[in-house]
Amino acid sequence: AGRALALGPFTVTEIDERKARGRAAQSARLIEAIPPGATVIALDERGKTLSSPEFAQMLANLRDQGAGGAVFLIGGADGHDQALRARADRLLSFGPMVWPHMLARVMLAEQLYRAISILAGSPYHRA
């Protein structure tokens, strides 16, 4: 459904934490992995919280503005350092609680699916 809405495909890229120990090193590796022209959205507890419809609208706006893709960066146990937060186009939060990396990934995947459902007019999201 995402491709019909000109959203996707979605891919997952991981950095090897064994080669990047500590917040600064992990953030540097994440910055290196950003594709040229991509809008960078860092998941950060200090970021803006959005409702699911607002998240869907953000994705639609990026698409409509011709963004060269979007990259969502999930930090390690210590979060992102200042250099990465400064590099991000947007800081997004799933709330004031801190979530484990893998759970944040699942939550992001769910919100991407939900956003596509909202934009497609599917009854999946019952707001």
Side-chain angles (χ1 to χ4, degrees):
R3 287 187 181 174
L5 296 169
L7 294 171
F10 300 103
T11 60
V12 175
T13 303
E14 293 186 55
I15 63 164
D16 186 348
E17 289 187 40
R18 294 172 297 178
K19 295 180 181 177
R21 296 195 187 274
R23 182 171 46 182
Q26 290 173 359
S27 290
R29 293 289 306 260
L30 287 171
I31 290 170
E32 291 170 4
I34 297 170
T39 297
V40 178
I41 303 163
L43 297 181
D44 187 278
E45 64 187 349
R46 289 157 268 188
K48 183 176 182 179
T49 57
L50 299 175
S51 67
S52 293
E54 289 170 333
F55 181 75
Q57 190 59 55
M58 179 191 76
L59 293 179
N61 290 345
L62 289 172
R63 175 200 61 204
D64 296 347
Q65 294 165 2
V71 174
F72 293 87
L73 302 178
I74 302 172
D78 296 323
H80 300 300
D81 76 350
Q82 182 54 37
L84 188 139
R85 285 194 302 274
R87 169 62 182 86
D89 298 297
R90 291 183 171 85
L91 296 178
L92 178 66
S93 174
F94 286 146
M97 292 183 190
V98 177
W99 298 98
H101 175 89
M102 293 304 286
L103 188 51
R105 183 187 290 190
V106 170
M107 293 166 64
L108 176 59
E110 161 60 23
Q111 287 307 306
L112 290 168
Y113 180 82
R114 188 172 293 270
I116 290 167
S117 297
I118 289 168
L119 295 172
S122 165
Y124 178 74
H125 179 74
R126 295 176 184 86

